[in-house]
Every structure is written in C-alpha cells, then in structure tokens.
Amino acid sequence: MRFRFGCVLFLLVCLLNLPAASAQQVAATPPMGWNSWNHFAEKVNDAVVRAAADALVSSGMRDAGYVYVNIDDTWEGKRDEKGFIHSNEKFPDMKALADYVHSKGLKLGIYSSPGPKTCAGFEGSYGHEEQDAQTYAAWGIDYLKYDMCSLGEILAKNGGKAEFRQGMLDAYKKMHAALLKTGRPIVFSLCQYGLYKVWQWGPEVGGNLWRTTGDINDNYARMAEIGFGQAGLAKYAAPGHWNDPDMLEVGNGGMKPDEYRTHMSLWAILAAPLLAGNDLSKMTPETVAILTNREVIAIDQDKAGKQGDRFWAEGPDEIWVKPLADGSKAVALFNRLDEWAGPAMMKVNFRDLGFTGAAKVRDVWNAKDLGSLEKYEVEVPAHGVVLLRVK
Ligand code: GLA
C-alpha cells in the first residue's frame, strides 16, 4: 500500500511539477531582447550580433530588461560527416560569440526549422533534432526559435488535415524533448504562423511562446492587423507560455512615432514578447525612449502574467485593458483612423472597468499623474494611443 502511494505521489510530482517547473524556469514573463530578422534578414553576421549586444548595454536596453540576443535565419552552414551542424562563414565561432554575449550579461538565441530547410533555404533540423540541441547547448545557446518552413510541404504530401496537425505537434515535441535532454534551460519559441490554433496546444508541445500570425511588416496597417487581431487570445497566455504576435518594428523607420507608441503599447497590453527588430547601433533618442519606457515595460512584464484584451470598440476607436498584479489596470485608448481624419475624442468611465468611486489615473507615455477621476475624456491622435495606468 505504502509502495503504491509512493508511486502515485511520484507520478503526481512528475505530472504536476516537472513540466510546470521547466516552463517557468524560463519565460516567467514574456521574453525580451533583440532579433536580427526584421532589420538585417540575411545580412546578419558575427559583427552585427556583437554590435547588437554592445548596443543593448550602451543604450540602457539591457538594464530595462532586453536580454536575449537572437540570431534568426541564415547562420546555418553544412553538416559534417557525423551529421553535426556547423555555422557558415558569417559566424566563424559560435561558442566564442556566445561567450561574448554572456560576458555582457545577455543571453544568445538561435533559429532552426523542424523541416529539412529553413524558410530562407538553409539547413534545418529534420532528422537531426538531438544532435542540434546538443550542439546548441554546447555553444551556450539560451533560446531557440523553431520555424516550421519546409516541414509544411512534407506534412502536406503525407496526409490530410489531421495528419498535418499531428505531424506538426510531433515535430515540436521532438525538439522540445531534445532540448530538455541537454539539461540547459533553453526558451522554446514556436513559429508556425498560428496554424491549427497553436495557442490551444503550444504548452503541450513545450512552447514558451508561439507566433499567432504570419510575419509583421514595418507599416501601421500590418502592425495593426496583427496587434488588434489578437483579441480573444488572452486566456491562453500565462507565465511560461505566451502568445507571440511577432517581433517589434520600432525604430525601423516605416512608422511615425505615434504609430510606434501604438505598437509598443499594444504589445505591452498583450503581454507579448518584446523583441526589438531594429538596428540597435543606430537609434534616435526617440526610438530608445519608446523601447525603454519603464512604465510601459512594467505593464508588459507584470508578474501576474495576464494578457490584456479588447474591452470596448466603436468603429475605429478601441479600448483595451490588462489586469495587473497590484490590482491596477493598464487601459489603452486607441484611435485607428488614418491621419486625414484627425484625432478622436475618447472617453472612459472607470466604473465600467470595475473601479468603485474615483480611481488614481496616470498617463504613462506623458509620465503624468492625472489625479483621482471617475472618468476621463481625452484626444487620441490618429493611429495613436493614450495609455493609462489606473488604480
Ligand atoms: C519566417 C518567420 C520570420 C523569419 C523568417 C526567416 O518567415 O516567420 O520571422 O524567421 O522565416 O527566414
């Protein structure tokens, strides 16, 4: 009897504790850092990554929480006769690069695909999952973005929808098991563009974050399509498991400051991973200010780990709300109308948000306490935002 009780206890510990512990060991809050793709794409190399690491430190971004330095696609070289992957000529020594990044108090991320080829046509991990995980761990990698790419073609040939879905889950599970086996904590980032409602099964395959959509672009229309399109996904986010509406475009030049503030505010409300995607070595003070605003980051990184959601919408005016650990709420008023239409007057009644009596209200981007209010009416610029923290 005692033996059986022991078994049950052991199983319970395994079932309840282990997966939770491994997920929360990393990504207890949405991962923050930088990724090479949005700005550098195939032009990423060792020097670019070192410069990004240097800039994370000198700009104050590291101290604001941006710690992952993530190399995206196009680092991959050939496999040797034993099947081990090597980096290509752009990355002469991955271990030395990891040591450099680590010496700055940062972490290094890498990219691969469960298919034979990555999206840019480089070597994927198909059939080499364990070897690749071992290689990453030996280099000192802390984060893996695993991008479906060519696996889709294989799965599409091999059966119907159910087989496709299962094949995808199996492929992600396989790499997750390989990563766990290394014993190194490695954030596991799923990238399969939101297919088959990944938010419903992302945690089951070991994902710490999962892309919910196709790729972002550096323009308001695409950013807004993705960001506002996250409505309804809040319940799937939790410490260790995040919806990922793709990397930031802040500072890449295609949007106006109001639009980048909308981008950053929306991602913070969504408890989205904050992976800067710009050239960190050439930032305007305004870009640095948007990326490093501590109060906005605090909303994103709030330890309750609750994703916000759309609270109200009337045409192009939307109010989104995120509950925070100290009982406050982050409240974002967005005006989605184009510039020709001008600013919008927007109103929020704090009673509707569950506050009784007057609430203490702070305008986050203007770093200004607005006092104790029952409601607030404010002009919101076209494509812009007013972000409030209400207690
Ligand atoms: C896909 C991903 C992008 C990027 C590229 C690299 O498009 O969604 O984020 O990683 O592949 O080839």
Side-chain angles (χ1 to χ4, degrees):
M1 190 59 194
R2 204 197 280 158
F3 170 70
R4 247 195 254 153
F5 179 70
C7 280
V8 170
L9 199 67
F10 175 74
L11 270 176
L12 264 179
V13 166
C14 290
L15 284 172
L16 297 177
N17 267 337
L18 278 184
S22 58
Q24 287 188 28
Q25 198 178 5
V26 290
T29 59
M32 290 177 67
W34 171 85
N35 174 293
S36 58
W37 188 254
N38 283 356
H39 183 84
F40 292 96
E42 76 288 349
K43 294 200 180 71
V44 66
N45 60 31
D46 181 277
V48 162
V49 174
R50 284 174 193 252
D54 293 346
L56 281 173
V57 178
S58 63
S59 65
M61 283 178 70
R62 178 196 61 188
D63 295 341
Y66 294 84
V67 293
Y68 289 98
V69 180
N70 293 349
I71 306 168
D72 207 279
D73 204 353
T74 80
W75 65 267
E76 308 87 343
K78 299 260 169 292
R79 293 191 181 278
D80 61 26
E81 61 287 353
K82 292 201 178 105
F84 285 97
I85 186 94
H86 293 269
S87 48
N88 60 33
E89 61 293 344
K90 298 193 294 169
F91 291 90
D93 188 342
M94 209 51 108
K95 171 85 174 70
L97 180 57
D99 290 345
Y100 182 79
V101 167
H102 291 153
S103 77
K104 305 247 155 190
L106 299 164
K107 293 170 188 286
L108 188 64
I110 209 159
Y111 167 101
S112 190
S113 171
K117 292 283 174 224
T118 66
C119 294
F122 287 70
E123 188 72 22
S125 293
Y126 191 71
H128 295 276
E129 294 80 1
E130 284 215 2
Q131 277 180 314
D132 286 1
Q134 295 296 340
T135 302
Y136 304 152
W139 284 340
I141 297 294
D142 308 290
Y143 185 117
L144 173 66
K145 173 174 169 183
Y146 208 42
D147 190 352
M148 192 158 93
C149 309
S150 63
L151 183 72
E153 293 154 33
I154 295 180
L155 296 177
K157 271 188 222 139
N158 287 352
K161 281 188 171 181
E163 289 82 5
F164 189 103
R165 182 183 182 278
Q166 194 54 49
M168 215 167 41
L169 265 75
D170 291 346
Y172 280 100
K173 273 189 195 155
K174 195 178 210 175
M175 183 50 102
H176 182 241
L179 292 175
L180 282 184
K181 206 168 160 192
T182 68
R184 188 177 173 85
I186 298 177
V187 173
F188 192 34
S189 155
L190 275 45
C191 178
Q192 45 78 279
Y193 337 111
L195 290 174
Y196 289 89
K197 304 186 199 290
V198 61
W199 42 88
Q200 294 181 357
W201 51 267
E204 184 193 320
V205 302
N208 297 116
L209 60 156
W210 44 82
R211 280 271 298 277
T212 52
T213 71
D215 292 10
I216 195 168
N217 291 123
D218 187 18
N219 61 70
Y220 179 83
R222 181 62 178 151
M223 180 279 293
E225 179 188 12
I226 289 183
F228 293 108
Q230 303 299 300
L233 297 185
K235 63 170 183 261
Y236 300 103
H241 310 287
W242 308 102
N243 290 303
D244 174 11
D246 207 359
M247 305 167 291
L248 297 172
E249 292 283 9
V250 176
N252 277 332
M255 289 185 243
K256 302 210 165 100
D258 272 331
E259 298 175 325
Y260 281 138
R261 275 187 285 274
T262 293
H263 185 10
M264 190 74 187
S265 307
L266 190 47
W267 264 236
I269 289 280
L270 293 171
L274 297 178
L275 296 167
N278 56 319
D279 181 354
L280 302 180
S281 64
K282 294 191 191 86
M283 287 194 281
T284 63
E286 189 155 43
T287 295
V288 177
I290 293 173
L291 287 171
T292 59
N293 186 301
R294 301 284 177 133
E295 295 183 45
V296 179
I297 291 172
I299 291 170
D300 179 80
Q301 295 286 303
D302 185 76
K303 64 177 187 302
K306 292 202 170 121
Q307 180 172 330
D309 217 327
R310 179 184 285 141
F311 173 74
W312 172 91
E314 199 174 288
D317 298 346
E318 300 199 11
I319 299 179
W320 286 61
V321 178
K322 179 185 202 276
L324 303 171
D326 67 352
S328 330
K329 286 180 176 167
V331 180
L333 287 68
F334 297 103
N335 170 11
R336 296 180 62 178
L337 266 195
D338 291 341
E339 212 158 44
W340 57 263
M345 282 310 288
M346 288 184 69
K347 213 190 291 178
V348 54
N349 189 329
F350 299 118
R351 200 179 290 269
D352 296 342
L353 298 179
F355 293 97
T356 43
K360 270 205 201 147
V361 183
R362 182 164 170 85
D363 179 326
V364 171
W365 286 110
N366 289 320
K368 197 172 153 206
D369 289 325
L370 302 175
S372 290
L373 306 172
E374 284 182 17
K375 53 182 182 252
Y376 186 52
E377 189 165 9
V378 64
E379 193 177 274
V380 184
H383 285 186
V385 62
V386 169
L387 181 61
L388 305 173
R389 188 169 175 131
V390 185
K391 187 159 187 170

